[in-house]
Amino acid sequence: MADITKRFGWRHLRAAPTSHVRHHRSGQLAHDGAGLSFWFRPLTAALSEVPVDDRELAMTFHARTADFQDVAVQATVTYRIADPAVAAERLDFSVDPDSGVWRGAPLEQLATLLTESAQQHALDVLARTPLAAALADGVPAVRERVTRGLGGEPRLPATGIEVVAVRVMALRPEPEVERALRTPARELIQQEADRATYERRAVAVERERAIAENELASQIELARREEQLVEQRGANTRREAEEQAAADAVRVGAEADRAVRLARAQAEAAREAGEARAAAQAAWLRVHGEADVATLHALTGTRLAENLPRIDSVTLTPDVLTGLLARLGAGQEPPA
């Protein structure tokens, strides 16, 4: 929108570089160009402002495929007004000399023209395409057909419009159809996910089985080694017992031999001692048999004195001495 200021009945217009301004004064073209700035009288001036920059027109419309399915088409058309003079003659781009605002809605007219032209070509190509093919390859086909159709549309150059680019963002079926179409793919994805889950579980089970087998093999090997250890300990104990028994047998044999030898020595010593005592007794008897009676009495007294208990002191009373002396005087032997 142009910037218009008021000064003492005059108007000053300053346009943007992307706006093409045409100024007619009394039916004659006074100013024509982009980014102009000039003074004018409002009562004699006719102004039009045509944008010459690239503009984006987003459009959404519905179409029907060859199998009678509705699809929504989302597209964007980039255009510009290549010939502002022609556009100003074909469409109402006039502006109010006081406010600089368009008197009509020229951009809406351009949008309607482009939307209807693009929709016509899109409907034409989708009407001969089944829904599955349209969803798979419909976007490039529709874009190519709309680009070619708008490029060959005679009304657009006649209006001064040039199409710069066409973009088709999406072709979407109705929500129910889209859910129905998604179901097989979702089922396939779910099947793949389930298969991956089962495979992962199978791998986990196989690993657990391998771990359990390893643990069982380890336990079996440990039990076998414990059995060998028990057998070895039993063999060691048996060998120790056998060696201990052999040692005890040797020790008992040695002690028995020593006892036998000791007994034999003691018996020999006793025999010799007995023989010696017997010889001594025989000699003693032989000596006593050959001796006279007086000698035997003396020996008897001597042996009796040897066997009597020791007498430390003897007390003689007057009565004992009197009786003993009386017997001695009478020639009697004292009592034994």
Side-chain angles (χ1 to χ4, degrees):
M1 185 178 65
D3 183 15
I4 297 178
T5 57
K6 302 177 181 180
R7 290 292 186 275
F8 306 107
W10 288 78
R11 304 290 186 271
H12 184 269
L13 182 143
R14 184 173 67 249
T18 56
S19 297
H20 188 97
V21 177
R22 292 172 60 86
H23 173 213
H24 289 80
R25 183 189 307 118
S26 301
Q28 299 295 325
L29 185 61
H31 298 90
D32 185 14
L36 297 180
S37 178
F38 55 86
W39 292 90
F40 66 92
R41 288 183 176 273
L43 297 179
T44 60
L47 302 175
S48 61
E49 183 182 7
V50 181
V52 294
D53 56 338
D54 291 350
R55 292 184 173 264
E56 303 285 342
L57 176 61
M59 58 184 70
T60 300
F61 53 88
H62 290 270
R64 178 169 293 184
T65 62
D67 47 1
F68 304 102
Q69 298 296 325
D70 291 337
V71 293
V73 182
Q74 296 179 357
T76 300
V77 176
T78 303
Y79 71 95
R80 67 170 175 264
I81 300 177
D83 194 343
V86 175
E89 292 176 359
R90 299 296 301 272
L91 300 174
D92 185 11
F93 282 95
S94 62
V95 297
D96 186 88
D98 292 327
S99 61
V101 179
W102 279 318
R103 297 180 184 272
L107 295 183
E108 295 181 3
Q109 295 176 346
L110 285 178
T112 302
L113 175 61
L114 290 172
T115 301
E116 291 178 351
S117 299
Q119 183 175 358
Q120 177 182 356
H121 297 292
L123 293 176
D124 186 25
V125 68
L126 289 175
R128 296 191 297 271
T129 306
L131 177 62
L135 295 178
D137 302 322
V139 171
V142 172
R143 181 178 63 248
E144 181 181 357
R145 179 60 182 274
V146 171
T147 302
R148 187 172 64 251
L150 292 179
E153 182 70 32
R155 188 179 176 185
L156 297 181
T159 315
I161 300 173
E162 178 183 356
V163 176
V164 177
V166 176
R167 298 188 301 277
V168 179
M169 276 73 71
L171 289 175
R172 300 180 63 90
E174 292 182 347
E176 296 80 4
V177 177
E178 187 173 5
R179 284 194 296 268
L181 293 174
R182 287 178 179 176
T183 300
R186 288 183 176 178
E187 291 294 333
L188 182 60
I189 294 174
Q190 186 63 40
Q191 291 176 4
E192 292 294 328
D194 294 340
R195 184 179 61 80
T197 301
Y198 296 151
E199 291 179 355
R200 185 170 61 252
R201 290 179 179 176
V203 171
V205 170
E206 182 65 22
R207 290 179 179 176
E208 290 178 357
R209 184 187 62 79
I211 293 173
E213 289 181 354
N214 292 334
E215 291 179 352
L216 181 60
S218 300
Q219 292 177 359
I220 293 174
E221 181 65 20
L222 181 60
R224 187 180 63 81
R225 293 187 179 183
E226 289 180 352
E227 182 180 0
Q228 292 178 354
L229 180 60
V230 170
E231 292 179 356
Q232 186 65 35
R233 287 179 176 174
N236 294 338
T237 304
R238 184 170 58 253
R239 188 178 300 109
E240 290 178 358
E242 292 175 356
E243 292 179 356
Q244 184 67 30
D248 292 341
V250 172
R251 184 173 63 257
V252 170
E255 291 178 354
D257 292 341
R258 186 170 61 253
V260 169
R261 289 194 299 269
L262 180 59
R264 288 177 180 177
Q266 290 177 352
E268 184 67 22
R271 185 182 60 81
E272 292 178 357
E275 291 178 355
R277 284 195 301 270
Q281 188 69 26
W284 185 78
L285 291 175
R286 188 174 55 253
V287 171
H288 283 73
E290 295 176 354
D292 55 6
V293 176
T295 302
L296 292 176
H297 286 170
L299 290 175
T300 300
T302 302
R303 295 296 300 272
L304 179 62
E306 290 177 357
N307 292 321
L308 288 176
R310 182 178 177 182
I311 300 174
D312 293 332
S313 62
V314 177
T315 303
L316 298 176
T317 62
D319 295 335
V320 173
L321 289 177
T322 302
L324 182 59
L325 291 177
R327 290 182 179 183
L328 289 177
Q332 297 182 358
E333 293 182 359

